[in-house]
Each structure stands twice: as C-alpha cells, then as structure tokens.
C-alpha cells in the first residue's frame, strides 16, 4: 500500500477501475466493510482519510475527533487498500474555501436541520474527492443514509461519472452501529445507546410483518428510546432517494434515528426495500460475532 498526501500522487497511482472509499479515519470494521466491497469491484482501491473541518459545526467535536494515522495505515494495508490518500489541510483547502456545494431539498430534514452547514461540508469535500481522484465507484456506509442520498444526488446533478454504492451498516456484537464516536461512550451510556438499534430492529420486524404506517413505525423506535431514558433528536421514515417524509411505507425508504447519549451524538437507521407487490424487506445491517476491537465504547 502507498501512503500519499497529494491529489496528483493519488491519481498517478490509480489505474483501471478506481474504487474510492472516503473516510475521516480512526478506522473500524464499518470502514473495512467499505474496502471489502470495493476490492472485488475495482482494480485500484483508494481510501481517503481526512477529518474535514467544513462539515463540523460550531461546538461540535472537530478538535476531539479521534485521529491515528499509523493505526489507520496498518488497518488499511490489511484491508487490501492500494492507495491511502491522507492529505494535509492545505492540500484540500489551499486558499480556504469560497466555493461550496449545496444540495437543496434533501438536506433540509433530519441531520441537515440538526447540523446546519453539515451537508454543505460533506458535499463539498466529496465533490473535491470525485474531481481530484476521478473514481469510477465510490463506497459509502448505509449508516449515514442521508449522506448517501446527498452525495448520490450531488454526483448526478454535477455529472460526475461515478457510481455511489451503499454498503450495509456494521453493528457491534451488542447491536450498536459502529461509529468512531462510540469511543466517547462509557459503560452506562453505551448500555443506553443500544436502544437506538433495538428500536429499529423492532420496527424492522413490524414492517416485515405488515406494518406500513409511518407514525407507528417511528413510534416503536421512540418507545425504545424513552424506555432507556434517551431523548431523540428525530425519528423519521423517509423516502430513500428524496429524503421526503413518508406517511406510509409504500416505496424504498429508510427509518432514521438520531439521539445524544452522554457526550456522543449517534445516528442509526434501517433500510427498507419495497417490492412490486408491496412486500417489505429490511436491511438491518451486519452484526459482528464478537465485540469490535476497533470501535469500542469505554469499558463498563
Ligand atoms: O462519512 C464520513 O466519514 C464523511 O462524512 C466523509 C464521507 C468521509 C466526508 O468527509
């Protein structure tokens, strides 16, 4: 694996079908699943690693976001990444930023409402990666479902010749969706955080057994959070492509939740595929067989 710090070097090393795995580092099994999806589909797997200041709001965790390049480089090598592109700030934003990318509509709900400016930061950095690395395929976790919708729409609207591929969420052995931010959770917060995944699993079961009412499905998640003493920022059933609120589960959709648990702000979701006869199948993600060694909460 080659570690490079400039767009030019990353492009120089990328040949054939190029698969891009954008990350902010502090890799865990969720990121490794993106590399696993990229490897068979691409001749060159380029993983980018950059903690993007533009997508963090005031008072968010930009300064404390976990960083460890040596650890990430070792994990990326094991994961079969060919090129690790870890640019410094002045390669990404040599003159600051006056040009940004805003995806209207899709960014107005949920994370866009709770984190003003966040998706403008994400769309801008991902557009820069698409322009600078020129991937054919780009792999994003379904855990960040709204982000996946935003970058897919951005790529289509700006005519980037890249296919955005969504990869199922990886869950820890206890059901918590993996996130670099899980490192902020101590024992009690970690136990309460399990309510997000548990509520979503209950809703997924209900949907597969025939429940189609959006408010009822959302209510199952809210009830799990309330029982654990966790207040949701939002619980919403939305259409997969447009991120518009759905009263009924009658098209491809995801049910998303966000909540603050102790010092961590967590998001999670389940994806629903709706077949031609209205039948529903849920993507609950993939659960690890044993506790993650890479994205643990602090030990109870
Ligand atoms: O999902 C992330 O880690 C980031 O939002 C991304 C896509 C790497 C952009 O900084």
């Amino acid at each position: 694996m080659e570690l490079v710090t400039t767009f030019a070097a990353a492009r120089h090393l990328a040949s054939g079908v190029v698969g891009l795995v954008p990350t902010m580092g502090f890799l865990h099994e969720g990121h490794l699943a993106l590399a696993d999806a990229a490897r068979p589909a691409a001749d060159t797997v380029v993983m980018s690693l950059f903690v993007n200041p533009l997508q963090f709001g005031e008072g968010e965790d930009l300064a404390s976001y976990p960083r460890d390049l040596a650890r990430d480089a070792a994990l990326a090598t094991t994961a079969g990444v060919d090129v690790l592109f870890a640019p410094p700030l002045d390669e990404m934003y040599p003159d600051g930023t006056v040009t940004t990318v805003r995806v209207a509509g899709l960014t107005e709900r949920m994370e866009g409402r709770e984190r003003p400016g966040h998706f403008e930061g994400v769309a801008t950095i991902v557009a820069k990666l698409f322009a600078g690395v020129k991937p054919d395929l780009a792999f994003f976790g379904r855990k960040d479902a709204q982000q996946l919708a935003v970058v897919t729409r951005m790529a289509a609207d700006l005519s980037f010749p890249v296919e955005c591929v969504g990869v199922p969420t990886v869950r820890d052995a206890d059901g918590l969706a993996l996130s670099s931010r899980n490192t902020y959770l101590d024992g009690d917060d970690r136990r309460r955080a399990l309510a997000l995944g548990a509520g979503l699993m209950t809703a997924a079961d209900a949907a597969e057994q025939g429940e189609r009412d959006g408010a009822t499905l959302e209510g199952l998640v809210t009830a799990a959070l309330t029982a654990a003493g966790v207040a949701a920022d939002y619980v919403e059933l939305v259409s997969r492509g447009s991120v518009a609120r759905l009263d009924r589960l009658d098209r491809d959709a995801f049910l998303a939740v966000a909540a603050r648990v102790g010092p961590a702000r967590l998001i999670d979701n389940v994806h629903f595929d709706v077949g031609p006869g209205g039948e529903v199948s849920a993507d609950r993600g993939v659960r690890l067989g044993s506790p993650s060694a890479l994205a643990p909460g602090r030990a109870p």
Side-chain angles (χ1 to χ4, degrees):
M1 189 192 73
E2 301 276 350
L3 172 62
V4 299
T5 56
T6 64
F7 276 116
R11 245 189 342 264
H12 178 70
L13 290 168
S15 61
V17 175
V18 177
L20 174 69
V21 177
T23 81
M24 296 205 300
F26 211 71
L27 304 180
H28 51 62
E29 291 86 342
H31 299 108
L32 304 186
L34 302 181
D36 286 347
R39 249 187 350 260
D43 297 307
T44 310
V45 177
V46 179
M47 177 181 278
S48 64
L49 192 165
F50 180 68
V51 181
N52 173 32
L54 219 57
Q55 69 188 75
F56 287 78
E58 229 168 272
E60 292 190 354
D61 57 346
L62 174 61
S64 59
Y65 198 85
R67 295 164 168 87
D68 189 338
L69 179 58
R71 170 189 180 276
D72 287 343
L75 287 168
T77 304
T78 312
V81 169
D82 299 299
V83 180
L84 183 61
F85 172 43
L89 190 63
D90 63 359
E91 172 72 5
M92 271 301 177
Y93 300 118
D95 295 311
T97 305
V98 292
T99 305
T100 59
V101 179
R102 189 175 77 85
V103 180
L106 283 74
T107 57
E108 276 150 28
R109 318 185 62 78
M110 303 194 302
E111 288 304 284
R113 188 184 57 222
E114 300 292 325
R115 304 180 67 189
H118 170 67
F119 282 126
E120 203 165 323
V122 170
T124 301
I125 196 75
V126 173
K128 286 171 71 70
L129 288 166
F130 286 176
V133 176
K134 301 192 191 310
D136 301 285
L137 302 162
F139 296 82
F140 297 89
R142 278 187 155 187
K143 172 171 169 290
D144 295 297
Q146 191 174 8
Q147 167 173 282
L148 176 59
V150 168
V151 298
T152 302
R153 183 61 196 258
M154 179 276 291
D157 284 359
L158 298 183
S159 306
F160 283 110
V162 58
E163 183 189 340
C164 295
V165 181
V167 178
T169 299
V170 179
R171 297 183 178 281
D172 213 329
D174 58 8
L176 184 68
L178 292 188
S179 162
S180 305
R181 291 187 168 105
N182 292 354
T183 52
Y184 302 152
L185 294 170
D186 67 14
D188 192 47
D189 288 335
R190 168 114 196 171
R191 270 188 291 278
R192 294 192 310 127
L194 299 183
L196 277 77
L200 289 167
M201 296 309 122
T202 305
D205 292 346
E208 285 185 334
Q209 285 156 22
E211 182 58 66
R212 296 288 177 271
D213 182 62
T216 303
L217 293 169
E218 292 166 357
L220 291 169
V221 181
T222 307
L225 293 181
T226 307
V230 174
D233 284 348
Y234 59 78
V235 181
E236 293 195 25
L237 179 71
V238 296
S239 158
R240 179 101 51 87
S242 68
V243 193
R245 184 91 181 248
L246 292 180
D247 290 335
R248 291 195 63 74
L249 178 52
D250 57 5
R251 67 201 75 174
D252 290 352
F254 61 92
L255 176 61
V257 57
R260 181 163 284 285
V261 183
R265 187 167 181 286
L266 302 175
I267 61 172
D268 199 352
N269 67 78
V270 282
H271 275 59
F272 294 118
D273 285 328
V274 180
E279 68 283 5
V280 166
S281 69
D283 169 12
R284 297 167 172 80
V286 178
R287 204 157 159 157
L288 296 177
S290 54
S292 166
L294 302 177
R298 281 191 277 270

